[in-house]
Amino acid sequence: MTGKLPFEALSVETLATRLGTNEALCSKIGKDASAWKVREVGDGNLNLVFIVEGASGGAIVKQALPYVRLVGDSWPLPLKRSFFEYHALTRQEARAPGSVPAIYYFDEVQALIIMEYLSPHIILRRALIEGRQLPNIARDIGLFMARTLFRGSDLSMVTKERKADLALFADNVELCDITENLVFSDPYFDAKMNRHTSPQLDGLVAELRTDRDLKVEAQRLKHLFTANAETLLHGDLHSGSIMVTDQETRMIDPEFAFYGPMAFDIGMLLANFWMSFFSQRGHEQKGKRDAMRAYLLDVVVETWAVFRAEFSHLWRTERTGMLYQKSLFEDQGDILAAEQALDDVLHQIWTDLLGFAGIEVHRRILGLAHNADFETIADEDLRASCEAKALKFGRHIAVNRRQIHSIDEVNNLAALIEQENSI
Ligand code: SR1
Ligand code: MG
């Protein structure tokens, strides 16, 4: 396949013929395309994902479709998201080496990326639903977030390069538009594509949609999301965008990448751990999940601690950008002022991440794109009761984010709500 042919979606049947002479793919998996085994495994909302296995190995072929797969061709979506995913992956690899799949090939016109087949990795969300305790995720994800968020910002980058990059990713308009609507607005009114577990949640949903404080807060956060072009975000860092083994963690799918507030990635990620926490009761049939719940709260604590420690380390050792220049602080012998500024920056991230986490919880229960943590709970009353607790938790941390001072406070709140009688 050359980049000059017009876009055409691949299929299991056509992939070997169309990519059979692709040198990057052949060198990874073997030249005999007639022996390739091809499976389509995409379970996300947007794209085609193929696993291709040949005589000498496997690879992933990911291709964007000109529409939202979850909804169909009534919702067109530009192919250029593949371009942003490719460029985000290259930056993430440079800033946090070993944290993303290796890229073998990119074809902009065909909107396809050929990349490393991560095996035996599975999607983190799936592992958490199964009740698996992964020992390294907090460390790996905390480091990934600190390194990518710090090194993609004006704390670290040459300002001319950062502004050029900001301009490049500013064109990721349609994917930002999805987040701006699906995350920040749709959950809080009766938007067309919304759904929720009904009738069980109807009362609570109506309450949340008339909650003035919550709606104002959600819009403040949307404002922050659109106006604070602070760093290159992953943009969709939930547990479905992370692949794991017991030892390894890799971040995938950064097609929503753009310059936004650091707290967005962290808040979205932690929200997904808290949602997993509230969903565990729905998966308890084969044994108690108390240990799993405790594990998830520990993961939250450790992820935030690792993030803070690594971000602080980078602040002290790599602060080469135009913000909080060393010439103003350390170079004048004022190390304490640099530490004061660090505390200030971390405090702002903390306050904002709670807000983003709260509304991420809401949109996964009230909006279009739900998550499997709750969706796979077949008993609707049980699912609704798990979801109701998560909704109350999300409302509390979003609205009260300026009055909450520690991660333990948030985890205690989660534990308290979990023990309450359900709706
Ligand atoms: C229409 S896309 C819905 C969601 O799927 C993606 O994974 C993002 O989270 C997006 O909000
Ligand atoms: Mg995705």
Side-chain angles (χ1 to χ4, degrees):
M1 185 190 291
T2 76
K4 293 195 175 105
L5 295 171
F7 172 84
E8 193 184 333
L10 292 161
S11 68
V12 169
E13 292 73 30
T14 62
L15 188 144
T17 311
R18 292 184 60 202
L19 293 176
T21 57
N22 182 288
E23 281 176 25
L25 187 53
C26 288
S27 74
K28 284 289 164 196
I29 72 168
K31 283 194 163 87
D32 180 6
S34 68
W36 290 358
K37 289 199 184 85
V38 183
R39 283 175 289 151
E40 206 280 313
V41 294
D43 65 351
N45 295 327
L46 300 179
N47 308 299
L48 294 171
V49 181
F50 300 92
I51 295 173
V52 192
E53 291 176 285
S56 53
I60 292 288
V61 176
K62 178 172 177 180
Q63 188 179 38
L65 290 166
Y67 54 84
V68 174
R69 184 177 183 173
L70 173 70
V71 175
D73 53 14
S74 62
W75 186 348
L77 198 64
L79 297 170
K80 66 184 177 187
R81 63 185 187 272
S82 181
F83 170 90
F84 296 114
E85 176 164 354
Y86 166 71
H87 283 287
L89 283 167
T90 61
R91 283 151 184 75
Q92 288 166 348
E93 177 57 28
R95 291 169 189 159
S99 62
V100 298
I103 298 177
Y104 304 145
Y105 178 78
F106 171 56
D107 181 333
E108 190 173 345
V109 175
Q110 296 302 326
L112 75 82
I113 304 172
I114 304 179
M115 63 184 114
E116 184 180 359
Y117 173 34
L118 298 172
S119 176
H121 302 62
I122 65 166
I123 292 287
L124 173 59
R125 195 187 299 288
R126 178 64 44 202
L128 298 180
I129 291 170
E130 288 170 5
R132 274 179 59 186
Q133 297 181 22
L134 293 311
N136 297 331
I137 54 172
R139 181 200 65 195
D140 295 344
I141 304 169
L143 289 176
F144 171 80
M145 293 192 301
R147 290 171 181 168
T148 56
L149 300 178
F150 184 94
R151 291 175 173 152
S153 78
D154 267 328
L155 292 169
S156 163
M157 285 180 79
V158 173
T159 185
K160 193 170 177 202
E161 287 170 16
R162 200 190 85 91
K163 284 190 166 63
D165 215 42
L166 192 141
L168 183 106
F169 281 93
D171 194 30
N172 203 2
V173 179
E174 292 78 6
L175 272 74
C176 286
D177 179 74
I178 288 180
T179 304
E180 285 149 12
N181 288 308
L182 261 50
V183 176
F184 294 99
S185 289
D186 288 5
Y188 303 108
F189 74 104
D190 189 17
K192 204 167 133 215
M193 290 181 297
N194 284 349
R195 65 189 171 86
H196 63 261
T197 307
S198 179
Q200 293 89 338
L201 291 181
D202 290 355
L204 182 53
V205 173
E207 222 177 272
L208 293 172
R209 289 190 179 144
T210 52
D211 186 328
R212 193 180 291 161
D213 292 341
L214 177 60
K215 287 202 285 190
V216 170
E217 201 52 64
Q219 291 314 292
R220 269 200 206 109
L221 290 158
K222 183 176 185 177
H223 189 167
L224 192 60
F225 178 81
T226 58
N228 186 5
E230 195 176 25
T231 193
L232 182 64
L233 298 177
H234 177 286
D236 198 26
L237 192 60
H238 53 76
S239 51
S241 297
I242 298 171
M243 299 200 69
V244 292
T245 65
D246 280 340
Q247 300 312 320
E248 254 212 349
T249 314
R250 303 279 196 101
M251 281 28 88
I252 62 169
D253 279 3
E255 64 204 316
F256 283 78
F258 86 111
Y259 276 80
M262 294 185 182
F264 183 76
D265 276 357
I266 312 168
M268 181 177 273
L269 189 265
L270 295 188
N272 278 264
F273 289 141
W274 281 313
M275 281 188 278
S276 176
F277 171 86
F278 285 111
S279 72
Q280 291 298 320
R281 210 159 39 83
H283 304 291
E284 261 175 351
Q285 305 91 321
K286 289 181 190 152
K288 278 281 178 196
R289 292 286 182 102
D290 290 345
M292 187 64 191
R293 275 186 282 270
Y295 161 79
L296 285 161
L297 297 186
D298 286 348
V299 165
V300 167
V301 171
E302 193 188 340
T303 304
W304 176 235
V306 170
F307 171 83
R308 282 180 62 98
E310 180 68 2
F311 190 92
S312 302
H313 170 70
L314 296 174
W315 178 276
R316 292 170 192 133
T317 57
E318 287 189 17
R319 213 171 72 252
T320 52
M322 67 152 167
L323 288 180
Y324 305 92
Q325 298 122 289
K326 292 200 167 182
S327 50
L328 291 171
F329 299 113
E330 288 90 334
D331 294 355
Q332 296 184 20
D334 198 353
I335 291 169
L336 280 185
E339 292 296 304
Q340 181 177 326
L342 168 63
D343 283 342
D344 192 47
V345 168
L346 284 172
H347 181 70
Q348 195 57 55
I349 293 173
W350 163 253
T351 307
D352 295 342
L353 83 81
L354 290 178
F356 290 126
I359 54 135
E360 166 68 4
V361 170
H362 286 172
R363 72 95 169 212
R364 291 293 185 186
I365 298 170
L366 306 179
L368 166 74
H370 288 220
N371 64 29
D373 309 60
F374 295 120
E375 292 296 288
T376 52
I377 302 172
D379 178 332
E380 291 190 3
D381 289 337
L382 181 56
R383 187 201 314 150
S385 131
C386 296
E387 290 175 325
K389 289 177 179 185
L391 288 172
K392 288 178 192 167
F393 171 81
R395 193 264 174 207
H396 185 95
I397 62 171
V399 171
N400 299 298
R401 64 196 178 97
R402 291 172 201 79
Q403 285 78 47
I404 299 174
H405 302 294
S406 73
I407 203 84
D408 286 339
E409 209 178 317
V410 186
N411 278 347
N412 288 341
L413 175 82
L416 208 66
I417 294 177
E418 171 60 18
Q419 282 155 22
E420 265 183 359
N421 288 329
S422 50
I423 48 171

